[in-house]
Amino acid sequence: MRLFPPGSKRAFRVRTFLDFRRDPIGFLGRQAQAGDVVQWKMSGKQIVLINDPELIRTVLVTDDHKFEKHMDAANSLLGKGLTTSRADLHRGQRRLIQPGFRAEQIAKFAETMVERAERVQGEWRDGDTFDMKVEMERIALDVLGATLLGQGLGARAAEISKAMTMAIGTPPNMIIAGAHARWLELLPLRAIRRASAGRALLHQVTDQVIRERRAARIKPNDLLTTLLDATDNGNGERMSNQQLHDEVINLIIGGFETVSNALSWTWYQLSQHPESQKKLQEELDRVLEDRLPTFADFPALRYTQQVVRETLRLHPPLWIIWREALEDYPLNGCVAPTGAIVLMCQYLMHRNERFFPEPLRFRPERWTDEFRERLPKFAYFPFGGGSRQCVGDRFGFMEAALVLATIAKRWRAQLEPGFPVVEHPALTLRPKYGLRMIVHAR
């Protein structure tokens, strides 16, 4: 048995880290051409990229106990919240948070999702030009505040968006920095100072949310109240103030970033595919007639859901996952050594022609029930998988579909001519320059 999987010669050049930093997705795509399991060294770390659904399943599900979520470089932003916490802490925190995302609870949130989307689109006028990413952030943050945190956050959307743009790191920083992250943050570089300022602002907003809730005389029945009052059934302990802070900031970032990015990319794809936009609006006219969508309409909005699924395929907000091997681990007749960083890239898997005919084409119609049944589980995993699968996956998907239905019923959008659309693969997959769009009333 060979110690390492094959790797391209290019991967061993001194400029590997800079190549990865400059164009992470392009770099990974080139490495993936070498096979289903590819390795290289970067900044002294052994990196292994997996491009096979069954192997991804073994890492994330079957043998997940043999890997650890390696996100030390994100701790200054996310602390020890659900996104970054290690195994034992993660299990306890997930037990506390999971009830807030049960199906019956999510159903109660549907009216709020639609109401917040209706409020924002009520400010639009025929022919308006604006950044659709900003508008979707306003909605996502307001929905998050109203449903999970019990207060409106829409007024803070601009400052949180700015802070998020400043704070999120690039993939090489997040994947490789590891134990060196704290030292790197001391370097007097403009990008590092900017990221630190963004993180500080996000922490301030989070602390303010918690202070306001603690001071409230009447506490709503939402997830934040649950967290304030909860004890871990495993050990009977309440969350510390720091742990509560970390969980709230994880909820803000998760609910804000993933949903707003998914909706933004959806509007972009619809603007580039008017036939899909037309088909979507025909479904909305047929199902909804002259009213707003409700939770009861969700099953009937089949094409709406297909549009969201196809957007998540081409532009998954969570575009890459990585784990650290806790022991030598066999992969396709090779071994990923202890300490190796194992990468699983949704962006690449979702565009693999073995599983998705015409992989670069936006085609919502591909998402039939039959296609979904025969598709390998980890050929498509926009919300991750295994014990670490996003706790709010159903919440986020329903929000994206209902917000899209609410707005597309009344509006169509087109990209501003000549506006550059560039994917920015940082902690999430964002449109680098936003999305300047022109909206037209139907």
Side-chain angles (χ1 to χ4, degrees):
M1 181 179 290
R2 290 174 294 164
L3 179 60
F4 298 132
S8 68
K9 292 181 180 179
R10 174 182 174 84
F12 291 93
R13 293 181 182 176
V14 175
R15 293 181 59 84
T16 299
F17 182 84
L18 295 178
D19 288 345
F20 191 11
R21 183 181 180 86
R22 185 180 302 111
D23 181 15
I25 290 175
F27 178 89
L28 293 175
R30 291 189 293 272
Q31 301 310 312
Q33 294 174 7
D36 288 343
V37 182
V38 187
Q39 67 82 31
W40 65 93
K41 273 195 172 182
M42 185 163 65
S43 298
K45 277 281 187 181
Q46 198 73 33
I47 311 295
V48 179
L49 173 65
I50 302 176
N51 302 292
D52 177 79
E54 183 58 25
L55 292 177
I56 293 173
R57 185 187 66 80
T58 63
V59 170
L60 295 181
V61 181
T62 308
D63 293 329
D64 66 323
H65 60 287
K66 297 180 180 179
F67 296 86
E68 187 56 84
K69 192 164 188 178
H70 177 90
M71 292 194 71
D72 290 345
N75 286 347
S76 59
L77 174 60
L78 301 172
K80 294 182 179 179
L82 200 63
T83 304
T84 57
S85 57
R86 303 256 173 186
D88 291 341
L89 178 59
H90 177 269
R91 283 191 290 269
Q93 294 304 105
R94 193 176 182 97
R95 279 196 299 268
L96 296 178
I97 292 173
Q98 187 73 58
F101 293 101
R102 287 175 180 156
E104 61 271 19
Q105 190 70 16
I106 293 174
K108 297 176 183 177
F109 295 153
E111 183 178 351
T112 302
M113 295 171 178
V114 171
E115 189 273 329
R116 289 321 197 255
E118 173 72 1
R119 178 188 300 177
V120 169
Q121 74 170 2
E123 301 173 9
W124 297 359
R125 297 294 179 265
D126 188 29
D128 278 355
T129 301
F130 47 68
D131 188 341
M132 187 64 82
K133 177 68 164 70
V134 171
E135 296 298 286
M136 295 303 102
E137 287 175 344
R138 291 174 59 199
I139 295 172
L141 197 60
D142 215 13
V143 169
L144 172 70
T147 56
L148 301 183
L149 303 179
Q151 57 182 284
L153 293 177
R156 298 170 177 165
E159 64 175 331
I160 291 178
S161 176
K162 180 181 178 181
M164 194 76 67
T165 301
M166 295 165 62
I168 56 179
T170 58
N173 292 345
M174 304 297 289
I175 295 170
I176 299 303
H180 305 297
R182 293 181 181 178
W183 295 106
L184 291 174
E185 290 173 3
L186 297 177
L187 295 177
L189 301 178
R190 180 181 178 185
I192 291 176
R193 291 198 304 269
R194 177 178 168 84
S196 296
R199 289 193 297 269
L201 179 53
L202 286 172
H203 288 306
Q204 289 171 13
V205 170
T206 301
D207 286 336
Q208 185 175 350
V209 167
I210 295 172
R211 282 196 304 271
E212 290 174 359
R213 172 56 56 83
R214 287 194 189 279
R217 297 175 116 187
I218 300 176
K219 295 179 172 57
N221 182 23
D222 59 16
L223 185 58
L224 180 54
T225 297
T226 300
L227 294 178
L228 282 166
D229 297 340
T231 59
D232 182 352
N233 292 330
N235 57 29
E237 295 181 359
R238 290 184 182 275
M239 286 190 197
S240 67
N241 289 335
Q242 185 60 53
Q243 190 63 50
L244 177 63
H245 171 99
D246 292 346
E247 296 303 346
V248 171
I249 201 169
N250 275 253
L251 287 171
I252 290 175
I253 293 173
F256 172 72
E257 267 290 287
T258 56
V259 174
S260 64
N261 284 330
L263 281 166
S264 299
W265 288 120
T266 299
W267 283 109
Y268 166 69
Q269 287 292 351
L270 290 173
S271 75
Q272 301 304 293
H273 299 88
E275 71 286 354
S276 295
Q277 189 162 217
K278 181 174 183 291
K279 189 171 180 178
L280 169 67
Q281 290 171 333
E282 287 173 349
E283 175 181 85
L284 298 176
D285 291 342
R286 182 178 67 255
V287 174
L288 303 178
E289 297 180 343
D290 294 325
R291 59 182 176 79
L292 293 172
T294 66
F295 177 75
D297 295 314
F298 186 71
L301 298 174
R302 294 178 61 85
Y303 192 73
T304 306
Q305 294 185 49
Q306 289 176 325
V307 167
V308 175
R309 282 197 176 89
E310 183 70 345
T311 300
L312 291 173
R313 183 184 72 83
L314 288 171
H315 309 281
L318 304 176
W319 68 277
I320 192 169
I321 295 173
W322 58 95
R323 298 288 187 267
E324 181 177 2
L326 298 177
E327 58 186 66
D328 289 355
Y329 188 79
L331 288 168
N332 264 18
C334 309
V335 172
T338 302
I341 303 300
V342 179
L343 305 181
M344 294 148 284
C345 182
Q346 291 100 314
Y347 189 97
L348 295 183
M349 287 303 307
H350 291 185
R351 296 172 180 236
N352 192 315
E353 62 184 358
R354 287 183 293 172
F355 311 107
F356 301 98
E358 300 180 284
L360 301 184
R361 182 182 169 194
F362 181 76
R363 190 161 63 86
E365 294 78 8
R366 76 172 78 238
W367 291 100
T368 63
D369 292 341
E370 295 74 19
F371 177 77
R372 292 176 62 191
E373 287 176 4
R374 67 173 183 267
L375 187 68
K377 164 67 176 173
F378 287 97
Y380 179 77
F381 55 119
F383 297 103
S387 64
R388 294 280 187 165
Q389 181 159 327
C390 175
V391 70
D393 54 352
R394 290 179 297 178
F395 177 97
F397 185 83
M398 187 178 77
E399 180 182 350
L402 290 180
V403 169
L404 175 63
T406 302
I407 297 176
K409 181 75 173 65
R410 290 177 49 189
W411 302 91
R412 59 184 178 85
Q414 68 178 88
L415 189 69
E416 184 178 70
F419 187 81
V421 177
V422 179
E423 292 176 320
H424 178 53
L427 184 60
T428 58
L429 188 68
R430 301 176 124 218
K432 187 173 184 178
Y433 306 111
L435 288 169
R436 292 282 296 176
M437 306 194 84
I438 306 167
V439 294
H440 299 285
R442 294 184 64 202

